[in-house]
Amino acid sequence: MSLSVVPSEPSSHAEQVGDVVGSYRLEKVLGEGAMGRVYLGRHVRLGRAVALKVLHSQHTADRQLVQRFLLEAKAVNQINHHHIVEVHDFVEAPERVYCVMELLSGQTLTARLAGGTVPLKEAVAIARQIAQALGAAHAVGVVHRDLKPDNLFLTTRDEQPDFVKVLDFGVAKLITSLARADGLGTLSGQVVGTPRYMAPEQAAGLEVDHRADIYSLGTILYELIAGRTPFVGATFGQLSAEIITKAPPALPSANLLGETVPADLARLVLACLAKSADDRPATMADVLSWLDRVPLDGSAAPLPTRARRLGLVAVAGVLALATAGATLALRAPEPAPPP
């Protein structure tokens, strides 16, 4: 990724389709968020198609927002993982700030969910890829903090469908020296992210770490299975109160396709949704290890040694009770006492 500062003619209006921004002609609006708009751009000389994320013109004078925009590009470049969207360039001009990203073809997970229930095998495969991407981010001290279906893109890579790309690290928190060097550490009491997928500590405005992303992944996995998020509120206050105080509803025993939800998978989801960060899986590596044990072919998952030992003791106890019951049933009845 290269970082550039180039001269630019002042403009009194926002960019439009057909404009040339730097070396790219804007051909189509692909999406829009609070910070900027994403266009399909094409290099005017080379014909290369890219995604151009342009900071809204009203934000270009805000140095802190521009620095956060740059910090997102730095964060993504530092992680450098195949399940995270690539950023090729960052350009800061007097009245226009944008980054050049790889162009993806496919759909967001939001669109995938709108098309119907995702089969369990595919849901687990999607969750595994998200965990891999965020595990790589956490390893270099980056916490996404806005993990949601809108920020997860499904494309096809090497004939593999539903290949996940994690998008939009715009509210990411860097807990390494990168954030400290730029003076952009997030203050506690600042609520960022999307409410339905926030961890309790995040909804309360407290300091968060990588385990907030684990909670968000649990919410996404819950939605993939149940077709809805665990908490829904009419207002941000109501939703936050539910997230902070209420236990998540139990997952259904089967999804809408009639597939039985493995008990191990349900336990993982509820573990990720624990109110206290200390009660969640410690790392994304732990989440991946748990997902690898989930049986999706009808076979039983291998239990840890201690659990297997406890299970054998329980079976032995049941057999002993059954044997005793059979013995009592076969024994001749004793005569009734005289009146």
Side-chain angles (χ1 to χ4, degrees), residues 8-29:
S8 174
E9 293 296 324
S11 62
S12 58
H13 62 280
E15 70 287 335
Q16 300 177 5
V17 171
D19 288 355
V20 174
V21 174
S23 301
Y24 298 91
R25 186 179 304 279
L26 306 181
E27 295 189 350
K28 180 182 178 182
V29 176

Side-chain angles (χ1 to χ4, degrees), residues 2 15-27 39-54 88-91 96 98-102:
S2 61
E15 70 287 335
Q16 300 177 5
V17 171
D19 288 355
V20 174
V21 174
S23 301
Y24 298 91
R25 186 179 304 279
L26 306 181
E27 295 189 350
Y39 292 91
L40 165 61
R42 193 172 299 276
H43 198 285
V44 292
R45 292 184 178 178
L46 302 178
R48 179 190 185 191
V50 298
L52 222 66
K53 186 174 182 179
V54 185
H88 303 306
D89 195 4
F90 177 89
V91 179
R96 186 163 284 155
Y98 61 93
C99 62
V100 183
M101 305 182 296
E102 68 172 318

Side-chain angles (χ1 to χ4, degrees), residues 119-313:
L120 284 177
K121 191 172 183 178
E122 293 176 24
V124 169
I126 289 170
R128 289 192 83 263
Q129 295 174 76
I130 299 169
Q132 289 170 2
L134 270 297
H138 297 166
V140 296
V142 177
V143 182
H144 192 288
R145 297 198 304 167
D146 195 20
L147 199 61
K148 59 184 178 181
D150 275 348
N151 287 338
L152 299 168
F153 200 88
L154 304 179
T155 185
T156 300
R157 178 71 56 89
D158 298 329
E159 299 184 358
Q160 177 187 342
D162 289 340
F163 187 91
V164 174
K165 284 281 190 174
V166 180
L167 313 177
D168 200 355
F169 280 75
V171 297
K173 177 188 176 184
L174 278 76
I175 53 179
T176 61
S177 57
L178 182 59
R180 291 193 292 271
D182 287 333
L184 290 174
T186 301
L187 300 174
S188 59
Q190 187 177 19
V191 179
V192 292
T194 302
R196 281 193 299 159
Y197 301 91
M198 280 185 183
E201 62 272 23
Q202 193 172 359
L206 302 176
E207 193 69 21
V208 302
D209 59 20
H210 65 281
R211 292 170 296 182
D213 285 344
I214 291 175
Y215 183 96
S216 298
L217 177 55
T219 303
I220 291 167
L221 195 46
Y222 189 106
E223 187 175 10
L224 283 166
I225 296 168
R228 66 183 188 282
T229 53
F231 301 107
V232 178
T235 67
F236 175 75
Q238 291 175 352
L239 181 58
S240 297
E242 290 201 2
I243 290 173
I244 293 169
T245 63
K246 287 189 177 180
L251 278 165
S253 58
N255 65 6
L256 296 179
L257 297 176
E259 297 175 304
T260 300
V261 179
D264 271 0
L265 183 57
R267 282 194 292 269
L268 169 61
V269 172
L270 294 181
C272 290
L273 295 176
K275 297 301 178 190
S276 170
D278 292 336
D279 295 332
R280 297 171 205 152
T283 65
M284 283 295 181
D286 292 334
V287 174
L288 279 168
S289 177
W290 201 324
L291 285 170
D292 287 340
R293 295 198 303 269
V294 172
L296 294 172
D297 56 359
S299 62
L303 293 171
T305 304
R306 181 172 180 273
R308 187 161 56 244
R309 196 162 56 240
L310 291 173
L312 290 173
V313 171

Side-chain angles (χ1 to χ4, degrees), residues 316-333:
V318 170
L319 289 175
L321 288 173
T323 303
T327 303
L328 289 172
L330 292 173
R331 184 181 298 167

